[in-house]
Amino acid sequence: MMRLPASLACLPLAVWGVLSQAQAASLAKIPVRVVVVTTFELGNDTGDMPGEFQHWVEKLPLSEELPARGSYHEVLRYNPDLHVLGIVTGEGPSHMASAMTGLVLDPRFDLRKAYFLLAGIGGINPNFGSVGSAVWAPRVINGGLAHMIDAREIPSDWPDGFVPVQGASPTLHPVPALHSQWGDMGYTLNPHLVNWAYTLTHTVTIPDAPSLQASRARYKDYPAAQKPPQVMVGDTLSSETFWVGAKMNGWAERWVRYWTDNQGTFATTAEEDIGLMQALSAQAKAGRVDINRVLILRAASNYDMPPTGESAAALLKEEADETGFSGFIPSLDAAWLVGSTVVRELALHWSSYENVTAGGN
């Protein structure tokens, strides 16, 4: 397919909006093999303190700017040789869902065969792994949709104050449907694709920075948290509320087990993943994307609970903003190192992955 001429690619979306359907359809689309999805950037896209986007812009690179007026970041970035598109969605599931819907409906792109990689940072369960690790998610569980009772009023025989929104017991059985009029409680990503991505990247060496070593040393009662950073596979819990602490971590472990029929393992926590899956699943029903071509990679910037003897409030104070996370810069590096391995493989060997999904269906 011919690439859209630069003069047309840079037209504001408002101009595209006045084209007739026939006119829009007659214009060649900008080819996209992979969409790299990030949630925030700090300052500029290049040359300053990095957020999730900057490594991709500078190192892949994503050298071309495409205007995206009305979107959170107001610009998309593109590599015309690899046909990779990058987006900053804004933080939180609402920003994510809005941004992805807008992107898929953008008439400049045909994303029916594109792969989507959410490459972001997140918290990690110290019972699962260590800060700096990069974790592929086989499942996304919604941690933000529930009934909740204040901690001061939790019945003595309840494990915590969270209850499925469909009922009145924390252990409601049978487990309600994951998708209903109440909302979406979980998604399973294409297991073949996830396994393919892990197999491709599990030998990637993630540098073990002094800051990571110092952070791990505090978690002497958590064997998994003391291991050097590595590439792993584990479920992600998506919640717009930034929670901290051992009791909340216990809830998260239970919540993931509950909604996965004891098949899942709570590994990472972040905000946007449920919004990504909701938006892309809706667009997949219309044939605009392939939901089997979605990957989620979360690199651990911080532990979600404090080490033994320290309080949740003290940990929250330490990490009051993103750049205060003990593994902030190393997690950005890990997301790039591991994620770019997959992106380059897909883009450089497109003839193998265009019509047959990586890993098989």
Side-chain angles (χ1 to χ4, degrees):
M1 180 181 292
M2 293 181 58
R3 187 178 162 218
L4 190 69
S7 60
L8 293 177
C10 293
L11 285 176
L13 291 184
V15 175
W16 279 84
V18 301
L19 296 175
S20 69
Q21 288 185 344
Q23 289 173 318
S26 68
L27 294 174
K29 306 287 188 178
I30 301 174
V32 179
R33 297 172 180 175
V34 185
V35 179
V36 175
V37 181
T38 64
T39 69
F40 73 94
E41 185 50 57
L42 303 175
N44 300 317
D45 288 351
T46 62
D48 57 4
M49 181 71 170
E52 290 178 349
F53 198 42
Q54 189 161 308
H55 284 338
W56 295 95
V57 174
E58 294 179 341
K59 296 181 179 182
L60 192 63
L62 297 172
S63 56
E64 290 192 3
E65 291 189 7
L66 303 177
R69 302 292 182 251
S71 68
Y72 171 82
H73 198 57
E74 296 195 319
V75 65
L76 304 170
R77 284 188 172 264
Y78 183 70
N79 182 305
D81 299 315
L82 296 175
H83 299 166
V84 175
L85 184 68
I87 183 172
V88 180
T89 65
E91 295 190 65
S94 298
H95 270 143
M96 174 62 74
S98 174
M100 297 315 296
T101 300
L103 177 66
V104 175
L105 295 179
D106 189 322
R108 293 174 293 181
F109 310 111
D110 181 350
L111 301 176
R112 289 175 294 176
K113 293 184 178 180
Y115 292 80
F116 291 80
L117 169 64
L118 169 54
I121 65 174
I124 195 165
N125 175 6
N127 291 316
F128 177 84
S130 60
V131 166
S133 294
V135 187
W136 294 106
R139 303 176 190 85
V140 174
I141 303 302
N142 191 342
L145 180 60
H147 285 151
M148 186 180 73
I149 292 179
D150 186 279
R152 293 162 293 187
E153 299 178 292
I154 298 173
S156 59
D157 59 343
W158 284 19
D160 49 62
F162 290 84
V163 175
V165 72
Q166 298 90 340
S169 166
T171 56
L172 178 67
H173 281 91
V175 175
L178 292 178
H179 307 284
S180 69
Q181 75 273 15
W182 296 94
D184 301 301
M185 293 309 308
Y187 292 88
T188 297
L189 282 70
N190 179 351
H192 303 290
L193 180 61
V194 174
N195 183 65
W196 172 85
Y198 172 72
T199 301
L200 183 67
T201 60
H202 77 280
T203 58
V204 171
T205 299
I206 300 175
D208 189 8
S211 61
L212 300 180
Q213 297 170 18
S215 182
R216 294 200 307 269
R218 299 168 61 187
Y219 287 79
K220 57 183 181 297
D221 294 329
Y222 299 87
Q226 296 182 56
K227 297 178 180 179
Q230 58 189 299
V231 180
M232 309 175 76
V233 176
D235 299 314
T236 186
L237 182 72
S238 179
S239 171
E240 194 164 14
T241 298
F242 189 113
W243 52 265
V244 176
K247 292 187 181 299
M248 290 300 299
N249 188 80
W251 157 74
E253 291 177 331
R254 179 186 74 82
W255 199 247
V256 169
R257 288 195 304 269
Y258 178 82
W259 288 107
T260 63
D261 195 23
N262 292 315
Q263 300 301 304
T265 300
F266 166 57
T268 61
T269 178
E271 297 181 65
E272 298 82 13
D273 308 36
I274 197 73
L276 174 82
M277 296 305 296
Q278 286 173 324
L280 293 182
S281 294
Q283 295 305 317
K285 293 177 182 177
R288 298 187 181 105
V289 299
D290 185 346
I291 198 61
N292 288 310
R293 295 188 171 198
V294 180
L295 286 165
I296 294 175
L297 178 70
R298 285 291 180 179
S301 59
N302 57 289
Y303 293 109
D304 66 21
M305 58 179 283
T308 304
E310 299 185 25
S311 71
L315 180 62
L316 183 61
K317 185 176 181 180
E318 286 181 16
E319 302 179 341
D321 61 58
E322 283 160 336
T323 57
F325 294 158
S326 58
F328 179 68
I329 295 298
S331 67
L332 297 176
D333 294 341
W336 156 253
L337 284 170
V338 178
S340 63
T341 301
V342 165
V343 170
R344 289 185 183 279
E345 171 64 21
L346 291 169
L348 290 171
H349 302 94
W350 186 239
S351 60
S352 298
Y353 305 117
E354 178 182 8
N355 297 314
V356 177
T357 301
N361 292 320

